[in-house]
Amino acid sequence: MNFFEHQDRARRNTRRLVLLFLLAVLLIVLAVNLAVGVFLFSFFESGFQGLNASVKAHGTVSLLTLLIIGGASWYRMSRLRSGGDMVATGMGGTWVDPDSDDPLLRRLCNVVEEMSIASGLPTPHIYVLESEKGINAFAAGYMPEDAAVAVSRGALESLSRDELQGVIAHEFTHILNGDMRMNIRMMGLLYGILAISVIGRGLLYSGGRRRSVISSRKEGGGGHILGLALLLVGYIGVILGRLIKAGVSRQREFLADASAVQFTRNPDGIGGALKKIAGLSAGSHLKAADREEVSHMLFASGQSFWISMLATHPPVEERIKAIDPLFRPEEMKVGVAPGTAGAGEGRGRSAFRSSDDPWAFLTGKRETVAASSFSEAVLQDVEAPPPDRLTHAVSAMTAIPDPLLHAARSVKGVSALFPALFLARERDMMAEQLEKVASVMGEARLRQVEGLLPQARKLHPLLSLPLSDLAFSSLRQVDREEKRILVKLMDAMVMLDGKMTVFEYCLVRLLKHRMEGMERTGGTERKRYGRGQCRDALVRIFSVLAWQGHESEILARRAFMAGISRILPMDVPPYGVPLDWTGDMDRALPVLEVLDMTTKGELIQALVITASHDGRLSLEEAELLRTICACLHVPVPPVLPQLTA
């Protein structure tokens, strides 16, 4: 099952979640009507029968119940609009500076960065649950641009590097599969179901302290009875909520475990983490009061369930056996000494080193790559990524000069990285471009940019865009005004010579796209379109790609026809030379962003056919394809070296 199939499945699961939620609401409304009826029967002289005959009274009770549930869900979802950061901080998470010197935190950041490059996702914010000694983690957010990964202090101190890498790979799989978006929506919906129990608890508490408003005959009795009834009804909601989470979450955990093994090529990593959860006294238990609300997001169950069918995760022993069929319970590990798990991790680099560096070719300046490498990277099986994907990602990080990595990880230095990457390929107007940096961002930032330029020029072009995504976690921490100034600077640098290279367009477009994703709170999904509704945008994007990658109009027309006939077989449009290629791209990408996921997969295959029609895929074509994919919310890992032409 590839990325697009997983995304479609996640959307089907979301629709299933909504149907289950509506069914739960219906049951709760019926139970509340029954509870209120019993209360009124007990405390009104006229008895229950008269009220029972009144459809209006029951309608009022139903409407109030629906308003409470709907209002509580709306409130919670509005609080979660900022994405994963809100969930992580709500659980007591502390943000981790990507440039941290702490060995355990440095190791965590390195592992997350490796997974970001391997999966083609922008680096998420990283949090540590400092007060949690159990081994656990979760990923939260609506989309990769607002994602957060949180890890418990117990996981940092108890897990080896390989085991931590297995846990992080598991969480990244949830991001790739679209599970993360559904999880955060589930939090909002199920919060409304729990609201009735909160009201019942409040009435039960207050009923014993003051005279009941409804009943003048029994001091506090009415409040007690109604509160107890609503509390019981509320627990029906709790049980229904757990059943919904269990029904949606359980199978996904097996799939994420399998994908983590495929990513890391090391079953002992995630397997060892699960064995430690089973063997250590703290297990995966969390102390946070909100652990019930996020239980479906966690790497392992953060609490105990007295009925197994209510558990959001399969039993740990079953998950271990799925990874290691020869597992025996007596093999459970009993942990490592706290504080030693990350000893020896380098400050700037991953501790992992490949004995045979597959990125050694980066010392040369090859400017063509195999077309198959791009389509395979995008259309890979999410449950079984290529065997060396993580190894190559780690090796790619070693090929990035230390000063550039430091700038990508530094909140204070990340704004200088983007101008430096831009200027690294600039030759004609370097002096004017540097003057523009000084006038827009100041002399201090100019000195930072000049300091990064020598290393930026040494960076292989294939790593420029992946490095910009690596810097995204730090960029999210930059204040809004500085981000606005950065975008203003990048636009001004482009306008100086009145023309835009493919790389300049890709770098600036990706920067703007990621920032727009940050600002697009709430994960609002627009209506999905089919290919027929996006015909004009498809013509624009194929025309630009054919024109950029082929030396003559005849070759460009052939390439255009070869690709677009795959996506519009019944209505093949004519080719036209793009007169404003950057404008065509900017107009087409927002339209294609709302294509349905199946069509996006077919679109990318067709685009690769157009780009590689002349038998090669140039660096510019690869960067343009990567940018198109990012704007379509399709992650693209770096091209693998062994697939290089």
Side-chain angles (χ1 to χ4, degrees):
M1 190 179 294
N2 65 32
F3 169 81
F4 304 96
E5 292 168 336
H6 268 283
Q7 292 288 317
D8 281 334
R9 188 190 66 178
R11 286 183 169 83
R12 289 195 299 271
N13 282 340
T14 300
R15 290 192 288 270
R16 175 188 172 198
L17 167 64
V18 172
L19 290 175
L20 291 172
F21 170 76
L22 293 176
L23 177 60
V25 169
L26 176 62
L27 293 175
I28 291 172
V29 168
L30 293 174
V32 170
N33 270 283
L34 179 62
V36 171
V38 171
F39 169 75
L40 293 174
F41 177 79
S42 303
F43 289 94
F44 275 104
E45 296 287 349
S46 59
F48 173 70
Q49 292 180 347
L51 184 63
N52 188 45
S54 172
V55 175
K56 181 178 179 181
H58 280 292
T60 301
V61 170
S62 299
L63 180 61
L64 287 174
T65 305
L66 290 172
L67 287 174
I68 291 171
I69 295 175
S73 292
W74 175 85
Y75 166 79
R76 188 56 175 152
M77 292 180 81
S78 66
R79 292 291 304 273
L80 295 171
R81 285 177 66 86
S82 60
D85 289 330
M86 177 63 72
V87 180
T89 54
M91 285 291 292
T94 301
W95 178 72
V96 176
D97 186 341
D99 205 31
S100 173
D101 286 322
D102 182 277
L104 289 176
L105 299 182
R106 179 69 263 141
R107 181 189 64 164
L108 173 63
C109 291
N110 281 341
V111 169
V112 171
E113 289 168 350
E114 292 162 10
M115 282 305 306
S116 293
I117 292 181
S119 61
L121 293 168
T123 306
H125 269 173
I126 307 170
Y127 289 84
V128 172
L129 309 178
E130 292 289 358
S131 61
E132 302 293 353
K133 300 303 180 185
I135 299 173
N136 228 318
F138 64 83
Y142 287 99
M143 58 184 65
E145 286 81 11
D146 64 28
V149 172
V151 177
S152 67
R153 171 57 66 174
L156 284 185
E157 295 180 346
S158 300
L159 299 182
S160 69
R161 191 184 201 281
D162 285 348
E163 291 163 350
L164 181 64
Q165 192 173 64
V167 172
I168 296 300
H170 174 104
E171 298 306 325
F172 264 79
T173 296
H174 285 313
I175 301 176
L176 276 170
N177 290 355
D179 298 337
M180 180 182 69
R181 184 189 306 110
M182 187 182 69
N183 283 340
I184 199 168
R185 287 174 176 163
M186 194 186 303
M187 281 184 66
L189 288 175
L190 297 186
Y191 188 82
I193 292 179
L194 303 179
I196 302 297
S197 65
V198 174
I199 294 173
R201 191 179 297 110
L203 285 174
L204 187 62
Y205 174 76
S206 62
R209 288 188 161 221
R210 54 188 173 84
R211 188 178 180 83
S212 172
V213 175
I214 299 176
S215 174
S216 59
R217 301 178 304 159
K218 300 183 180 182
E219 187 172 345
H224 271 305
I225 297 297
L226 181 59
L228 181 60
L230 291 179
L231 186 61
L232 292 174
V233 171
Y235 275 117
I236 294 175
V238 172
I239 292 173
L240 289 173
R242 287 182 177 177
L243 285 172
I244 290 173
K245 288 192 285 188
V248 173
S249 300
R250 280 188 164 210
Q251 190 60 31
R252 296 181 311 167
E253 297 306 314
F254 283 120
L255 294 176
D257 288 346
S259 298
V261 172
Q262 290 290 338
F263 252 121
T264 62
R265 311 306 295 177
N266 180 14
D268 291 336
I270 190 171
L274 290 169
K275 290 173 184 177
K276 284 183 177 177
I277 287 173
L280 291 171
S281 58
S284 62
H285 183 75
L286 298 181
K287 299 183 296 183
D290 293 334
R291 66 184 184 275
E292 166 67 28
E293 193 178 10
V294 301
S295 58
H296 59 291
M297 293 184 176
L298 299 174
F299 172 72
S301 178
Q303 54 189 325
S304 300
F305 294 91
W306 55 278
I307 298 179
S308 60
M309 66 181 298
L310 298 179
T312 54
H313 292 65
V316 173
E317 289 80 2
E318 288 186 19
R319 293 173 66 182
I320 299 173
K321 287 180 180 178
I323 296 169
D324 178 10
L326 301 179
F327 164 74
R328 294 175 298 174
E330 56 267 24
E331 295 177 19
M332 297 295 187
K333 297 182 180 181
V334 293
V336 296
T340 64
E345 182 81 11
R347 179 181 183 278
R349 293 289 182 183
S350 164
F352 175 85
R353 286 292 184 273
S354 173
S355 57
D356 181 18
D357 183 5
W359 284 84
F361 83 102
L362 290 179
T363 55
K365 296 291 183 181
R366 293 192 188 183
E367 297 199 354
T368 61
V369 296
S372 60
S373 65
F374 196 92
S375 57
E376 289 179 15
V378 178
L379 301 171
Q380 63 180 291
D381 187 341
V382 174
E383 294 168 20
D388 295 324
R389 177 54 45 82
L390 185 58
T391 303
H392 291 309
V394 175
S395 299
M397 287 187 63
T398 68
I400 300 173
D402 281 327
L404 298 183
L405 272 180
H406 175 74
R409 293 165 172 164
S410 170
V411 176
K412 295 180 179 179
V414 69
S415 294
L417 177 64
F418 288 87
L421 291 175
F422 184 99
L423 292 171
R425 300 195 198 178
E426 180 63 51
R427 292 292 181 268
D428 298 333
M429 302 186 69
M430 179 65 65
E432 292 87 344
Q433 304 279 21
L434 289 173
E435 287 179 9
K436 184 60 69 174
V437 173
S439 64
V440 175
M441 303 191 81
E443 292 293 332
R445 190 69 75 197
L446 172 64
R447 288 192 292 272
Q448 286 183 314
V449 172
E450 290 176 331
L452 292 174
L453 261 178
Q455 298 299 329
R457 291 194 179 108
K458 296 178 182 178
L459 182 70
H460 191 278
L462 279 176
L463 295 179
S464 296
L465 297 184
L467 177 60
S468 70
D469 269 348
L470 201 66
F472 186 67
S473 178
S474 300
L475 188 62
R476 284 171 62 181
Q477 288 297 107
V478 173
D479 66 72
R480 186 187 295 265
E481 179 61 19
E482 186 171 348
K483 284 185 282 198
R484 186 192 67 81
I485 292 173
L486 175 59
V487 172
K488 177 183 175 182
L489 170 65
M490 301 297 282
D491 284 336
M493 291 169 70
V494 169
M495 295 301 295
L496 271 179
D497 59 4
K499 61 182 180 180
M500 184 181 285
T501 67
V502 170
F503 171 71
E504 290 171 352
Y505 176 82
C506 292
L507 183 65
V508 175
R509 190 70 179 81
L510 275 178
L511 175 65
K512 292 180 178 179
H513 173 75
R514 298 301 190 198
M515 288 188 175
E516 288 168 4
M518 277 188 270
E519 302 298 328
R520 192 184 297 173
T521 57
T524 303
E525 283 204 21
R526 291 173 283 173
K527 182 180 178 181
R528 297 269 161 191
Y529 293 148
R531 68 198 73 190
Q533 296 165 292
C534 303
R535 184 179 183 277
D536 183 62
L538 290 169
V539 171
R540 292 178 188 275
I541 210 85
F542 277 94
S543 296
V544 170
L545 193 59
W547 178 71
Q548 285 287 352
H550 297 83
E551 297 177 355
S552 70
E553 186 176 339
I554 294 176
L555 292 176
R557 180 178 289 107
R558 291 174 181 171
F560 171 86
M561 297 300 290
I564 203 163
S565 61
R566 293 294 188 97
I567 199 74
L568 294 172
M570 306 302 293
D571 181 25
V572 181
Y575 170 73
V577 176
L579 302 178
D580 176 20
W581 76 271
T582 59
D584 285 343
M585 290 288 293
D586 287 339
R587 284 186 288 272
L589 288 174
V591 178
L592 299 179
E593 182 183 354
V594 293
L595 281 170
D596 63 82
M597 293 305 296
T598 301
T599 305
K600 284 183 181 180
E602 295 173 1
L603 169 60
I604 291 168
Q605 285 182 307
L607 287 170
V608 172
I609 290 171
T610 290
S612 60
H613 191 257
D614 58 358
R616 68 189 186 92
L617 195 65
S618 68
L619 172 64
E620 288 77 13
E621 288 171 314
E623 290 180 329
L624 200 55
L625 283 169
R626 183 184 180 91
T627 302
I628 292 170
C629 287
C631 291
L632 297 181
H633 302 288
V634 177
V636 180
V639 177
L640 294 181
Q642 73 265 27
L643 297 176
T644 305

